[in-house]
Coordinates of all heavy atoms in Angstrom, one line a residue:
M383 N 0.9 -1.1 0.0 CA 0.0 0.0 0.1 C 0.9 1.3 0.0 O 1.9 1.3 0.6 CB -0.9 0.0 1.2 CG -1.8 1.2 1.4 SD -3.0 1.0 2.7 CE -2.4 2.2 3.8
E384 N 0.5 2.2 -0.7 CA 1.3 3.5 -0.8 C 0.3 4.6 -0.4 O -0.9 4.6 -0.6 CB 1.9 3.7 -2.1 CG 3.0 2.8 -2.4 CD 3.7 3.3 -3.7 OE1 3.2 4.1 -4.4 OE2 4.8 2.5 -4.0
I385 N 0.9 5.7 0.2 CA 0.1 6.9 0.6 C 0.9 8.0 -0.1 O 2.0 7.9 -0.5 CB -0.1 7.1 2.0 CG1 1.3 7.2 2.8 CG2 -0.9 6.0 2.6 CD1 1.1 7.6 4.2
K386 N 0.3 9.2 -0.1 CA 1.0 10.4 -0.6 C 1.5 11.1 0.6 O 0.8 11.3 1.7 CB 0.0 11.3 -1.3 CG -0.5 10.7 -2.6 CD 0.5 10.7 -3.7 CE -0.1 10.2 -5.0 NZ 0.8 10.0 -6.0
C387 N 2.7 11.6 0.6 CA 3.3 12.5 1.6 C 2.5 13.7 1.7 O 2.3 14.4 0.7 CB 4.8 12.8 1.2 SG 5.5 13.9 2.4
P388 N 2.1 14.1 2.8 CA 1.3 15.3 3.0 C 2.1 16.6 2.9 O 1.6 17.6 2.6 CB 0.8 15.2 4.5 CG 1.7 14.3 5.2 CD 2.2 13.3 4.2
Q389 N 3.4 16.4 2.9 CA 4.3 17.6 2.7 C 4.6 17.9 1.3 O 4.4 19.0 0.7 CB 5.6 17.4 3.5 CG 6.5 18.6 3.6 CD 5.9 19.7 4.5 OE1 5.1 19.5 5.3 NE2 6.3 20.9 4.1
C390 N 5.1 16.8 0.6 CA 5.6 17.1 -0.8 C 4.8 16.3 -1.9 O 4.9 16.6 -3.1 CB 7.0 16.6 -1.0 SG 7.3 14.8 -1.0
G391 N 3.8 15.4 -1.5 CA 3.0 14.6 -2.4 C 3.6 13.4 -3.0 O 3.1 12.8 -3.9
G392 N 4.9 13.1 -2.6 CA 5.5 11.9 -3.1 C 4.9 10.6 -2.6 O 4.2 10.6 -1.5
D393 N 5.1 9.6 -3.3 CA 4.5 8.2 -2.9 C 5.4 7.7 -1.8 O 6.7 7.7 -1.8 CB 4.6 7.3 -4.1 CG 3.5 7.6 -5.1 OD1 2.5 8.2 -4.8 OD2 3.8 7.3 -6.3
V394 N 4.8 7.3 -0.6 CA 5.4 6.7 0.5 C 4.8 5.3 0.7 O 3.6 5.2 0.8 CB 5.2 7.5 1.7 CG1 5.8 6.9 2.9 CG2 5.7 9.0 1.5
K395 N 5.7 4.3 0.7 CA 5.3 2.9 0.9 C 5.0 2.7 2.4 O 5.8 3.0 3.2 CB 6.3 1.9 0.4 CG 5.9 0.5 0.5 CD 6.9 -0.4 -0.1 CE 6.5 -1.8 0.0 NZ 7.4 -2.8 -0.5
V396 N 3.9 2.1 2.6 CA 3.4 1.9 4.0 C 4.0 0.5 4.3 O 3.8 -0.5 3.6 CB 1.9 1.9 4.2 CG1 1.4 1.5 5.6 CG2 1.3 3.2 3.9
I397 N 4.7 0.4 5.5 CA 5.2 -0.8 6.0 C 4.4 -1.3 7.0 O 4.2 -0.6 8.1 CB 6.7 -0.7 6.3 CG1 7.5 0.0 5.1 CG2 7.3 -1.9 6.9 CD1 8.8 0.4 5.5
E398 N 3.9 -2.5 7.0 CA 3.0 -3.1 8.1 C 3.8 -3.1 9.3 O 4.9 -3.5 9.5 CB 2.6 -4.5 7.7 CG 1.5 -5.0 8.6 CD 1.0 -6.4 8.2 OE1 1.3 -6.8 7.1 OE2 0.3 -7.0 9.0
G399 N 3.1 -2.7 10.4 CA 3.7 -2.7 11.7 C 4.4 -1.4 12.1 O 4.7 -1.2 13.3
E400 N 4.7 -0.5 11.2 CA 5.4 0.7 11.4 C 4.4 1.8 11.7 O 3.3 1.9 11.2 CB 6.1 1.2 10.2 CG 7.3 0.3 9.8 CD 8.5 0.2 10.9 OE1 8.7 1.3 11.5 OE2 9.0 -0.8 11.1
T401 N 4.6 2.6 12.7 CA 3.8 3.7 13.1 C 4.2 5.0 12.5 O 3.5 5.9 12.1 CB 3.8 3.9 14.6 OG1 3.4 2.6 15.2 CG2 2.8 4.9 15.1
F402 N 5.5 5.3 12.3 CA 6.1 6.4 11.7 C 6.8 5.9 10.4 O 7.6 5.0 10.3 CB 7.1 7.1 12.6 CG 6.5 7.9 13.7 CD1 6.2 7.3 14.9 CD2 6.0 9.2 13.4 CE1 5.6 8.0 15.9 CE2 5.3 9.9 14.5 CZ 5.2 9.3 15.7
L403 N 6.6 6.7 9.3 CA 7.3 6.5 8.0 C 8.1 7.8 7.7 O 7.8 8.9 8.1 CB 6.3 6.2 6.9 CG 5.4 5.1 7.2 CD1 4.3 5.0 6.1 CD2 6.1 3.8 7.3
T404 N 9.1 7.6 6.9 CA 9.9 8.8 6.4 C 9.8 8.9 4.9 O 10.0 7.9 4.2 CB 11.4 8.6 6.8 OG1 11.5 8.4 8.2 CG2 12.2 9.8 6.4
C405 N 9.4 10.0 4.4 CA 9.3 10.2 3.0 C 10.7 10.2 2.4 O 11.6 11.0 2.9 CB 8.6 11.6 2.7 SG 8.5 12.0 1.0
E406 N 10.9 9.4 1.4 CA 12.3 9.4 0.8 C 12.5 10.6 -0.1 O 13.7 10.9 -0.4 CB 12.4 8.1 0.0 CG 11.5 8.1 -1.3 CD 11.7 6.8 -2.1 OE1 11.0 5.8 -1.8 OE2 12.5 6.9 -3.1
Y407 N 11.6 11.5 -0.4 CA 11.8 12.6 -1.2 C 12.1 13.9 -0.4 O 13.0 14.6 -0.7 CB 10.6 12.9 -2.1 CG 10.3 11.7 -3.0 CD1 9.2 10.8 -2.7 CD2 11.1 11.4 -4.1 CE1 8.9 9.8 -3.5 CE2 10.8 10.3 -4.9 CZ 9.7 9.5 -4.6 OH 9.4 8.4 -5.4
C408 N 11.4 14.1 0.8 CA 11.5 15.3 1.5 C 11.9 15.0 3.0 O 12.1 16.0 3.8 CB 10.3 16.2 1.5 SG 8.9 15.6 2.3
S409 N 12.1 13.8 3.3 CA 12.5 13.4 4.7 C 11.5 13.7 5.8 O 11.8 13.7 7.0 CB 13.9 13.9 5.0 OG 14.8 13.5 4.1
S410 N 10.2 14.0 5.4 CA 9.2 14.3 6.4 C 8.9 13.0 7.2 O 8.8 11.9 6.6 CB 8.0 14.8 5.7 OG 8.1 16.0 5.1
A411 N 8.7 13.2 8.5 CA 8.2 12.0 9.3 C 6.7 12.0 9.2 O 5.9 13.1 9.3 CB 8.6 12.2 10.7
I412 N 6.1 10.9 8.9 CA 4.7 10.7 8.8 C 4.1 9.7 9.7 O 4.6 8.6 9.8 CB 4.4 10.2 7.3 CG1 5.0 11.2 6.3 CG2 2.8 10.1 7.1 CD1 5.0 10.6 4.9
Y413 N 3.1 10.2 10.5 CA 2.5 9.3 11.5 C 1.4 8.6 10.8 O 0.5 9.1 10.2 CB 2.0 10.2 12.7 CG 1.2 9.4 13.7 CD1 1.8 8.4 14.5 CD2 -0.2 9.5 13.8 CE1 1.1 7.7 15.4 CE2 -0.9 8.9 14.7 CZ -0.3 7.8 15.5 OH -1.0 7.1 16.4
I414 N 1.3 7.2 11.1 CA 0.2 6.5 10.5 C -0.7 6.1 11.7 O -0.3 5.4 12.6 CB 0.8 5.1 9.9 CG1 1.8 5.4 8.9 CG2 -0.3 4.3 9.4 CD1 1.3 6.2 7.7
D415 N -1.9 6.6 11.6 CA -3.0 6.3 12.6 C -3.6 5.0 12.2 O -4.4 5.0 11.2 CB -3.9 7.4 12.6 CG -5.1 7.2 13.6 OD1 -5.0 6.2 14.4 OD2 -6.0 8.0 13.6
K416 N -3.3 3.9 12.8 CA -3.9 2.6 12.4 C -5.2 2.2 13.0 O -5.7 1.2 12.9 CB -2.8 1.6 12.7 CG -1.6 1.6 12.0 CD -0.7 0.5 12.4 CE 0.7 0.7 11.6 NZ 1.6 -0.4 11.9
S417 N -5.8 3.2 13.7 CA -7.0 2.9 14.4 C -8.2 2.6 13.4 O -9.2 2.0 13.7 CB -7.5 4.0 15.4 OG -7.7 5.2 14.7
K418 N -8.1 3.2 12.2 CA -9.2 2.9 11.2 C -8.6 2.2 9.9 O -9.2 2.3 8.9 CB -9.8 4.3 10.9 CG -10.4 4.9 12.0 CD -11.1 6.3 11.6 CE -11.6 6.8 12.9 NZ -12.1 8.2 12.7
V419 N -7.5 1.6 10.1 CA -6.8 0.9 8.9 C -7.4 -0.6 8.9 O -7.4 -1.2 9.9 CB -5.3 0.9 9.0 CG1 -4.7 0.1 7.9 CG2 -4.9 2.4 9.0
V420 N -7.7 -1.0 7.7 CA -8.0 -2.4 7.5 C -7.0 -3.0 6.5 O -6.8 -2.5 5.4 CB -9.4 -2.5 6.9 CG1 -9.7 -4.0 6.7 CG2 -10.4 -2.0 7.9
F421 N -6.2 -4.0 6.9 CA -5.3 -4.6 6.0 C -6.0 -5.7 5.3 O -6.8 -6.5 5.9 CB -4.1 -5.2 6.8 CG -3.1 -4.1 7.2 CD1 -3.2 -3.7 8.5 CD2 -2.2 -3.6 6.4 CE1 -2.4 -2.6 9.0 CE2 -1.3 -2.6 6.8 CZ -1.4 -2.1 8.1
H422 N -5.7 -5.9 4.0 CA -6.3 -7.0 3.2 C -5.2 -8.0 2.8 O -4.1 -7.5 2.4 CB -7.0 -6.5 2.0 CG -8.1 -5.6 2.3 ND1 -9.4 -6.0 2.5 CD2 -8.3 -4.3 2.4 CE1 -10.2 -5.1 2.7 NE2 -9.6 -4.0 2.7
Y423 N -5.5 -9.2 2.9 CA -4.5 -10.3 2.6 C -5.2 -11.1 1.4 O -6.4 -11.3 1.4 CB -4.2 -11.1 3.8 CG -3.6 -10.4 4.9 CD1 -4.4 -9.8 5.9 CD2 -2.3 -10.1 5.0 CE1 -3.8 -9.1 7.0 CE2 -1.7 -9.4 6.0 CZ -2.5 -8.9 7.0 OH -2.0 -8.2 8.0
M424 N -4.3 -11.6 0.6 CA -4.8 -12.6 -0.4 C -4.1 -13.9 -0.2 O -2.9 -14.0 -0.2 CB -4.6 -12.1 -1.8 CG -5.1 -13.0 -2.9 SD -4.9 -12.2 -4.5 CE -5.5 -13.6 -5.5
L425 N -4.9 -14.9 0.0 CA -4.4 -16.3 0.2 C -4.4 -17.0 -1.1 O -5.4 -17.0 -1.9 CB -5.2 -17.0 1.2 CG -5.4 -16.4 2.6 CD1 -6.3 -17.1 3.4 CD2 -4.0 -16.2 3.2
K426 N -3.3 -17.7 -1.4 CA -3.2 -18.4 -2.7 C -4.1 -19.7 -2.5 O -4.2 -20.2 -1.4 CB -1.8 -18.8 -2.9 CG -0.9 -17.7 -3.3 CD 0.5 -18.2 -3.6 CE 1.4 -16.9 -4.0 NZ 2.7 -17.4 -4.3
P427 N -4.7 -20.1 -3.6 CA -5.6 -21.3 -3.5 C -4.8 -22.5 -3.1 O -3.6 -22.6 -3.5 CB -6.1 -21.5 -5.0 CG -5.9 -20.2 -5.6 CD -4.8 -19.5 -4.9
T428 N -5.4 -23.3 -2.3 CA -4.6 -24.6 -1.9 C -5.1 -25.9 -2.6 O -4.7 -26.9 -2.3 CB -4.8 -24.7 -0.4 OG1 -6.2 -24.9 0.0 CG2 -4.2 -23.6 0.4
I429 N -6.1 -25.6 -3.5 CA -6.7 -26.8 -4.2 C -7.0 -26.4 -5.7 O -7.3 -25.3 -5.9 CB -8.0 -27.3 -3.5 CG1 -8.5 -28.6 -4.0 CG2 -9.0 -26.2 -3.5 CD1 -9.5 -29.2 -3.1
D430 N -6.8 -27.3 -6.5 CA -7.0 -27.1 -8.0 C -8.5 -27.5 -8.3 O -9.2 -28.1 -7.5 CB -6.0 -27.6 -8.9 CG -5.9 -29.2 -8.8 OD1 -6.8 -29.7 -8.1 OD2 -5.0 -29.8 -9.4
E431 N -8.9 -27.3 -9.6 CA -10.3 -27.7 -9.9 C -10.5 -29.2 -9.8 O -11.6 -29.6 -9.2 CB -10.5 -27.3 -11.4 CG -10.7 -25.8 -11.5 CD -11.2 -25.4 -12.9 OE1 -11.7 -26.3 -13.7 OE2 -10.9 -24.2 -13.3
A432 N -9.6 -30.0 -10.1 CA -9.8 -31.5 -10.0 C -9.9 -31.8 -8.5 O -10.8 -32.6 -8.1 CB -8.7 -32.2 -10.6
G433 N -9.1 -31.3 -7.7 CA -9.1 -31.5 -6.2 C -10.5 -31.0 -5.6 O -11.0 -31.7 -4.8
A434 N -11.0 -29.9 -6.1 CA -12.2 -29.4 -5.6 C -13.4 -30.4 -6.0 O -14.2 -30.6 -5.1 CB -12.5 -28.0 -6.2
A435 N -13.3 -30.8 -7.1 CA -14.3 -31.8 -7.6 C -14.3 -33.0 -6.9 O -15.4 -33.6 -6.4 CB -14.2 -32.0 -9.2
A436 N -13.1 -33.5 -6.6 CA -13.0 -34.8 -5.8 C -13.5 -34.6 -4.3 O -14.1 -35.5 -3.8 CB -11.5 -35.2 -5.7
S437 N -13.2 -33.4 -3.8 CA -13.6 -33.1 -2.4 C -15.1 -33.1 -2.4 O -15.8 -33.5 -1.4 CB -13.0 -31.8 -2.0 OG -13.4 -31.5 -0.6
L438 N -15.7 -32.4 -3.4 CA -17.2 -32.4 -3.4 C -17.9 -33.8 -3.5 O -18.8 -34.1 -2.8 CB -17.7 -31.4 -4.6 CG -19.2 -31.3 -4.7 CD1 -19.8 -30.7 -3.5 CD2 -19.5 -30.5 -6.0
R439 N -17.2 -34.6 -4.4 CA -17.7 -36.0 -4.5 C -17.7 -36.8 -3.1 O -18.6 -37.4 -2.8 CB -17.0 -36.7 -5.6 CG -17.4 -36.4 -7.0 CD -16.8 -37.3 -8.0 NE -16.6 -36.6 -9.2 CZ -15.5 -35.9 -9.7 NH1 -14.4 -36.0 -8.9 NH2 -15.5 -35.3 -10.8
R440 N -16.5 -36.5 -2.5 CA -16.4 -37.2 -1.1 C -17.4 -36.7 -0.2 O -18.0 -37.5 0.6 CB -15.0 -37.0 -0.6 CG -14.0 -37.9 -1.2 CD -12.6 -37.8 -0.5 NE -12.1 -36.5 -0.3 CZ -11.3 -35.9 -1.2 NH1 -11.0 -36.5 -2.4 NH2 -10.9 -34.7 -0.9
W441 N -17.7 -35.4 -0.2 CA -18.7 -34.8 0.7 C -20.1 -35.4 0.4 O -20.8 -35.8 1.3 CB -18.7 -33.4 0.6 CG -19.8 -32.7 1.4 CD1 -19.9 -32.4 2.7 CD2 -21.1 -32.2 0.9 NE1 -21.0 -31.9 3.1 CE2 -21.8 -31.7 2.0 CE3 -21.6 -32.2 -0.4 CZ2 -23.1 -31.3 1.8 CZ3 -23.0 -31.7 -0.5 CH2 -23.6 -31.2 0.5
M442 N -20.4 -35.4 -0.9 CA -21.7 -36.0 -1.4 C -22.0 -37.4 -1.0 O -23.0 -37.9 -0.7 CB -21.9 -35.8 -2.9 CG -22.1 -34.4 -3.3 SD -22.6 -34.2 -5.0 CE -21.3 -34.8 -5.9
A443 N -20.8 -38.2 -0.9 CA -21.0 -39.6 -0.5 C -21.0 -39.8 1.0 O -21.2 -40.9 1.5 CB -19.8 -40.3 -1.1
G444 N -20.8 -38.7 1.8 CA -20.7 -38.8 3.2 C -22.1 -39.1 3.9 O -23.2 -39.0 3.2
S445 N -22.0 -39.3 5.2 CA -23.3 -39.6 6.0 C -24.2 -38.3 6.3 O -25.3 -38.5 6.7 CB -22.8 -40.3 7.3 OG -22.0 -39.4 8.0
S446 N -23.7 -37.1 6.0 CA -24.4 -35.9 6.3 C -25.2 -35.4 5.2 O -25.9 -34.3 5.1 CB -23.5 -34.9 6.8 OG -22.6 -34.4 5.8
T447 N -25.3 -36.2 4.0 CA -26.0 -35.8 2.8 C -27.1 -36.9 2.5 O -27.1 -37.9 3.2 CB -25.1 -35.6 1.7 OG1 -24.4 -36.9 1.4 CG2 -24.1 -34.6 1.8
A448 N -27.9 -36.5 1.5 CA -29.0 -37.5 1.2 C -28.4 -38.7 0.7 O -27.4 -38.7 -0.1 CB -29.9 -36.8 0.2
K449 N -28.9 -39.9 1.0 CA -28.4 -41.1 0.5 C -28.5 -41.2 -1.0 O -29.4 -40.9 -1.6 CB -29.3 -42.4 1.1 CG -28.7 -43.7 0.8 CD -29.5 -44.8 1.6 CE -28.9 -46.1 1.2 NZ -29.5 -47.2 1.9
G450 N -27.4 -41.6 -1.6 CA -27.2 -41.8 -3.0 C -26.9 -40.5 -3.8 O -27.0 -40.4 -5.0
L451 N -26.8 -39.4 -3.0 CA -26.5 -38.1 -3.7 C -25.3 -38.1 -4.7 O -25.4 -37.5 -5.8 CB -26.3 -37.0 -2.6 CG -26.0 -35.6 -3.2 CD1 -27.2 -35.1 -3.9 CD2 -25.7 -34.7 -2.1
E452 N -24.3 -38.8 -4.3 CA -23.1 -38.9 -5.1 C -23.3 -39.6 -6.5 O -22.7 -39.3 -7.5 CB -21.9 -39.5 -4.4 CG -22.0 -41.0 -4.2 CD -22.9 -41.5 -3.1 OE1 -23.6 -40.7 -2.5 OE2 -22.9 -42.7 -2.8
N453 N -24.3 -40.5 -6.5 CA -24.7 -41.1 -7.8 C -25.8 -40.4 -8.6 O -25.7 -40.4 -9.8 CB -25.3 -42.4 -7.5 CG -24.3 -43.4 -6.7 OD1 -23.1 -43.4 -7.1 ND2 -24.7 -44.2 -5.7
E454 N -26.6 -39.5 -8.0 CA -27.6 -38.8 -8.7 C -27.1 -37.5 -9.1 O -27.6 -36.9 -10.2 CB -28.8 -38.7 -7.8 CG -29.5 -40.0 -7.4 CD -30.1 -40.7 -8.5 OE1 -30.6 -40.1 -9.4 OE2 -30.0 -42.0 -8.6
A455 N -26.3 -36.8 -8.4 CA -25.9 -35.4 -8.7 C -24.9 -35.4 -9.8 O -24.1 -36.3 -10.0 CB -25.3 -34.8 -7.5
R456 N -25.0 -34.3 -10.6 CA -24.1 -34.2 -11.8 C -23.4 -32.7 -11.7 O -24.2 -31.8 -11.5 CB -24.8 -34.3 -13.1 CG -25.4 -35.6 -13.4 CD -24.3 -36.7 -13.6 NE -25.0 -38.0 -13.9 CZ -24.9 -38.9 -12.9 NH1 -24.4 -38.7 -11.7 NH2 -25.5 -40.1 -13.2
M457 N -22.2 -32.6 -11.7 CA -21.5 -31.4 -11.8 C -21.5 -30.8 -13.2 O -21.0 -31.6 -14.1 CB -20.0 -31.4 -11.3 CG -20.0 -31.6 -9.8 SD -18.3 -31.5 -9.2 CE -18.0 -33.3 -9.0
T458 N -22.2 -29.7 -13.4 CA -22.2 -29.1 -14.7 C -21.3 -27.9 -14.9 O -21.1 -27.6 -16.1 CB -23.7 -28.7 -15.1 OG1 -24.1 -27.7 -14.1 CG2 -24.6 -29.9 -15.0
K459 N -20.9 -27.3 -13.9 CA -20.0 -26.1 -14.0 C -19.3 -25.9 -12.7 O -19.7 -26.2 -11.7 CB -20.9 -24.9 -14.3 CG -20.2 -23.7 -14.6 CD -21.2 -22.6 -14.9 CE -20.5 -21.3 -15.2 NZ -21.4 -20.1 -15.5
Q460 N -18.1 -25.5 -12.8 CA -17.2 -25.1 -11.7 C -16.8 -23.6 -11.8 O -16.5 -23.1 -12.9 CB -15.9 -25.9 -11.7 CG -16.1 -27.2 -10.9 CD -14.7 -27.9 -10.8 OE1 -14.2 -28.4 -11.8 NE2 -14.2 -28.0 -9.6
N461 N -16.8 -22.9 -10.7 CA -16.4 -21.5 -10.6 C -15.6 -21.2 -9.4 O -15.8 -21.9 -8.4 CB -17.7 -20.5 -10.6 CG -18.5 -20.5 -11.8 OD1 -17.9 -20.4 -12.9 ND2 -19.7 -20.5 -11.7
S462 N -14.5 -20.4 -9.6 CA -13.8 -20.1 -8.4 C -14.2 -18.6 -8.0 O -14.4 -17.8 -8.9 CB -12.4 -20.1 -8.8 OG -11.9 -21.4 -9.1
Y463 N -14.4 -18.4 -6.8 CA -14.7 -17.1 -6.2 C -13.7 -16.5 -5.2 O -13.2 -17.4 -4.6 CB -16.1 -17.1 -5.6 CG -17.2 -17.5 -6.5 CD1 -17.7 -18.8 -6.7 CD2 -17.8 -16.5 -7.4 CE1 -18.7 -19.1 -7.6 CE2 -18.8 -16.8 -8.3 CZ -19.2 -18.2 -8.3 OH -20.3 -18.5 -9.2
I464 N -13.5 -15.3 -5.2 CA -12.7 -14.6 -4.3 C -13.6 -13.9 -3.3 O -14.4 -13.1 -3.7 CB -11.7 -13.7 -4.9 CG1 -10.7 -14.4 -5.9 CG2 -10.9 -12.9 -3.9 CD1 -9.8 -13.6 -6.7
F465 N -13.4 -14.1 -2.0 CA -14.2 -13.5 -1.0 C -13.4 -12.6 -0.3 O -12.5 -12.9 0.5 CB -14.9 -14.5 0.0 CG -15.8 -15.4 -0.7 CD1 -15.4 -16.7 -1.1 CD2 -17.2 -15.1 -0.8 CE1 -16.4 -17.5 -1.8 CE2 -18.1 -15.8 -1.4 CZ -17.8 -17.0 -1.9
P466 N -13.5 -11.3 -0.4 CA -12.6 -10.3 0.3 C -12.9 -10.3 1.8 O -14.1 -10.4 2.2 CB -12.9 -8.9 -0.4 CG -14.3 -9.1 -1.0 CD -14.4 -10.6 -1.3
Y467 N -11.9 -10.1 2.5 CA -12.1 -10.0 4.0 C -10.9 -9.1 4.4 O -10.0 -8.9 3.8 CB -12.0 -11.3 4.7 CG -10.7 -12.0 4.7 CD1 -9.8 -11.9 5.8 CD2 -10.3 -12.8 3.6 CE1 -8.6 -12.4 5.7 CE2 -9.0 -13.3 3.6 CZ -8.2 -13.3 4.6 OH -7.0 -13.8 4.6
G468 N -11.1 -8.5 5.6 CA -10.1 -7.6 6.1 C -9.9 -7.8 7.6 O -10.9 -8.4 8.2
I469 N -8.8 -7.5 8.1 CA -8.5 -7.7 9.5 C -8.4 -6.2 10.0 O -7.4 -5.5 9.7 CB -7.3 -8.5 9.9 CG1 -7.5 -9.9 9.3 CG2 -7.0 -8.4 11.3 CD1 -6.3 -10.7 9.3
S470 N -9.2 -5.8 10.9 CA -9.1 -4.4 11.5 C -8.1 -4.4 12.7 O -8.2 -5.3 13.5 CB -10.4 -3.9 11.9 OG -10.4 -2.6 12.3
R471 N -7.2 -3.5 12.7 CA -6.3 -3.5 13.8 C -6.4 -2.1 14.5 O -6.7 -1.1 14.2 CB -4.8 -3.6 13.2 CG -4.7 -5.0 12.6 CD -3.2 -5.1 12.2 NE -3.1 -6.4 11.7 CZ -2.0 -6.9 11.3 NH1 -0.9 -6.2 11.2 NH2 -1.9 -8.1 10.8

């Protein structure tokens, strides 16, 4: 994440965990108020399409679903979705 220096307008890279940053252009000290900051993280997928389909088939064959669901159900389409979330600090 980058912010603009309030003194010179230069780009300042925000470093997670830092409260004070220094502008590399004008050397201004910049205080970061983290009380209203939300950091976003992106997790890499841990399963591919084939693995997701196999996992779904195992779930359909389990005891918590309708009997015979794995034999009756047909997968017609697979989609991957990204669900944004944030951690407020």
